[in-house]
């Protein structure tokens, strides 16, 4: 069996599909990953065939004032990404028995699978992104949108969400479908998500709100095992004192003052700081020895050794910190990060820092003994077999078909 795993996003979307690809390969099957070119060298170093799609994304995390595109620029961007996806996914699907679309921006995957007459699965990495009467749709948070205040019912909000999807993607998607001889789709979101989506999120950390819903298959988070050792300089820093605070925003943009605020709060609480540069190129505010800047790191090895993880609230980092049993402080910026900030607070494994709040207070709360005890207890409930479960189900699905 050969499977194409397609995603358009940053590390938080790419790493999970790579985890499933490695599980498929280890069980004797073939897998191909289609993702932005930023990840080509890494994926190919794992022995996985790679098909690039679209432009490099790293520049989108650079600091600075965000300039919103004009309506015409947005239309051109949409047409461009849809065309690039249809071409790349079609190339990657050669010889495949199924296509997996990972994340909401994998717009072309279902249409290509339909054209090839092969299986298709849509996978979400956060429950709030899937329609449900139990919650409202997420907002992207980059255009000034506000979180729902509960005055409008969820069914109405999801209907509005479907209309936005059609306005944004409908014309471009149906134009490409027509070129393939496929009928137009009336509801782009439902076409992408299907009536039976998969939820690649941990059931304890991010459960589907209706456990008896037969239409959503929750596999558990797709975690890629990592056995890389920590850098000697980082090891020496960890061994030189009490567990430090970790700060990292991964592959997204970060507030311009986040580093100075976290270092200041950590110092006030008697803690050192590790700053992960990430795509935003975060750096220490001074040359003091209580702060160390690092590059890409094995979170599975590092997180159990820090006192708290301060981050943006992406699904991957939130799950890694939860699995490590380490308290968290989430500073959400966009989309599903607001959901994970709420869940961390609800579960008592950390706190959220929102506009107008005190980062010092959020970090002090996360470093409290009760939070540490709760975080350690929850760690044992976080599943690590999600990618294996998903790979097994893909094989079974293809055999039945």
């Amino acid at each position: 069996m050969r499977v194409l795993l397609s995603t358009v996003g940053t590390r938080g979307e790419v790493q999970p599909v790579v985890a499933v690809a490695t599980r498929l390969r280890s069980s004797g099957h073939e897998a191909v990953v289609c993702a932005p070119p930023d990840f080509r060298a890494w994926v190919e170093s794992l022995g996985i065939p790679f098909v690039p799609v679209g432009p490099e994304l790293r520049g989108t995390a650079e600091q600075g004032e965000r300039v919103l595109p004009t309506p015409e620029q947005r239309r051109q961007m949409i047409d461009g990404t849809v065309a690039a996806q249809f071409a790349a996914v079609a190339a990657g699907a050669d010889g495949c028995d199924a296509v997996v679309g990972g994340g909401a921006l994998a717009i072309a995957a279902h249409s290509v699978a339909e054209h090839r007459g092969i299986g298709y699965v849509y996978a979400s990495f956060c429950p709030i992104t899937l329609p449900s009467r139990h919650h409202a749709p997420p907002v992207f948070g980059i255009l000034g949108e506000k979180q729902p205040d509960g005055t409008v019912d969820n069914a109405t909000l999801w209907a509005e969400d479907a209309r936005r999807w059609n306005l944004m993607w409908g014309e471009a998607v149906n134009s490409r479908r027509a070129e393939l001889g496929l009928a137009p789709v009336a509801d782009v979101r439902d076409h992408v998500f299907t009536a039976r989506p998969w939820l690649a999120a941990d059931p304890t950390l991010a459960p589907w709100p209706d456990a008896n819903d037969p239409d959503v298959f929750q596999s558990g988070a797709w975690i890629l095992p990592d056995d890389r050792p920590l850098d000697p300089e980082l090891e020496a820093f960890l061994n030189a004192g009490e567990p430090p605070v970790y700060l990292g925003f991964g592959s997204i943009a970060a507030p311009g003052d986040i580093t100075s605020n976290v270092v200041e709060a950590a110092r006030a609480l008697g803690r050192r700081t590790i700053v992960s540069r990430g795509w935003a190129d975060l750096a220490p505010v001074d040359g003091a020895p209580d702060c160390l800047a690092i590059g890409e790191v094995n979170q599975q090895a590092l997180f159990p050794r820090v006192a708290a993880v301060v981050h943006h609230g992406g699904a991957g980092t939130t799950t890694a910190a939860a699995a490590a049993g380490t308290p968290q402080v989430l500073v959400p910026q966009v989309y599903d990060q607001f959901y994970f900030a709420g869940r961390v607070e609800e579960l008592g494994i950390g706190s959220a820092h929102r506009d107008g709040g005190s980062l010092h207070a959020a970090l002090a709360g996360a470093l409290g003994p009760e939070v540490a005890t709760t975080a350690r207890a929850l760690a044992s409930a976080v599943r690590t077999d999600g990618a294996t479960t998903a790979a097994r189900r893909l094989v079974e699905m293809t055999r039945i078909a």
Side-chain angles (χ1 to χ4, degrees):
M1 186 184 80
R2 184 178 176 90
V3 177
L4 172 67
L5 298 114
S6 172
T7 190
V8 176
T10 56
R11 185 85 176 208
E13 288 77 34
V14 178
Q15 188 156 312
V17 301
V18 170
V20 175
T22 59
R23 294 309 305 157
L24 285 167
R25 287 170 57 84
S26 67
S27 57
H29 302 282
E30 297 181 67
V32 182
V33 168
C34 179
D38 310 72
F39 303 97
R40 179 171 206 151
W42 170 55
V43 174
E44 290 184 341
S45 74
L46 299 174
I48 300 171
F50 183 86
V51 177
V53 57
E56 290 192 352
L57 300 180
R58 190 179 182 95
T60 62
E62 294 177 353
Q63 301 297 307
E65 184 178 354
R66 187 183 299 275
V67 179
L68 300 180
T70 66
E72 176 59 22
Q73 289 172 328
R74 183 179 295 182
R75 185 193 65 78
Q76 293 176 355
M77 290 166 59
I78 289 170
D79 288 346
T81 190
V82 170
Q85 284 193 49
F86 268 80
V89 177
D94 282 345
C96 288
D97 304 289
V99 176
V100 175
L105 292 180
I107 296 295
H110 193 179
S111 294
V112 170
E114 181 184 345
H115 180 246
R116 297 293 179 95
I118 58 179
Y120 168 74
V121 167
Y122 172 74
S124 165
F125 304 119
C126 176
I128 202 173
T129 67
L130 296 175
S132 169
R133 61 185 175 85
H134 297 284
H135 55 241
V139 298
F140 276 93
I142 60 175
L143 301 177
E145 313 98 314
K146 297 192 179 295
Q147 298 294 317
D149 60 7
T151 60
V152 180
D153 66 276
N154 290 337
T156 300
L157 292 172
W158 280 111
E160 293 174 354
D161 182 71
R163 285 193 289 272
R164 285 192 294 269
W165 271 75
N166 286 337
L167 285 171
M168 180 176 291
W169 302 107
E171 183 177 353
V173 168
N174 282 325
S175 175
R176 297 294 166 177
R177 285 177 61 84
E179 293 176 2
L180 297 177
L182 299 174
V185 294
D187 189 319
V188 177
R189 188 193 67 198
D190 285 358
H191 166 72
V192 171
F193 289 5
T194 77
R196 293 182 176 274
W198 291 13
L199 177 55
D202 184 75
T204 298
L205 181 63
W208 183 240
D210 184 355
N212 297 316
D213 184 353
D215 293 332
V216 175
F217 167 62
Q218 184 159 16
S219 63
W222 296 353
I223 299 172
L224 180 66
D226 194 342
D227 58 3
R228 292 173 298 162
L230 299 179
D231 181 84
E233 183 182 18
L234 176 55
E235 281 282 3
F237 185 81
L238 290 166
N239 293 331
E242 293 296 313
V245 170
Y246 168 94
L247 166 64
F249 267 62
S251 47
I252 74 160
D257 57 356
I258 189 65
T259 305
S260 59
N261 287 345
V262 170
V263 171
E264 179 182 334
R267 284 173 174 167
L269 294 165
R271 296 284 180 172
R272 301 172 300 148
T273 309
I274 294 172
V275 177
S276 175
R277 297 187 187 92
W279 283 11
D281 199 23
L282 302 181
V285 294
D286 53 41
D290 66 345
C291 190
L292 176 70
I294 63 172
E296 208 278 317
V297 70
N298 179 353
Q299 293 181 344
Q300 294 168 25
L302 176 59
F303 284 1
R305 300 178 63 182
V306 301
V309 177
V310 182
H311 63 104
H312 55 298
T317 307
T318 308
T319 303
T326 304
Q328 310 182 45
V329 176
L330 273 64
V331 188
Q333 304 296 299
V334 295
Y335 202 47
D336 60 347
Q337 296 166 14
F338 299 101
Y339 166 85
F340 282 110
R343 285 296 295 161
V344 163
E345 287 190 316
E346 291 168 16
L347 292 166
I349 59 174
S351 56
H353 171 64
R354 301 180 177 88
D355 291 343
S358 166
L359 184 55
H360 179 278
L363 183 57
L367 292 172
E370 289 187 6
V371 175
T373 299
T374 302
R376 285 193 297 269
L378 183 130
S380 62
V382 176
R383 291 175 49 184
T384 60
D385 63 345
T388 300
T389 300
R392 185 182 303 118
R393 192 173 178 99
L394 278 170
V395 173
E396 293 171 351
M397 179 189 79
T398 305
R399 284 174 177 167
I400 292 173

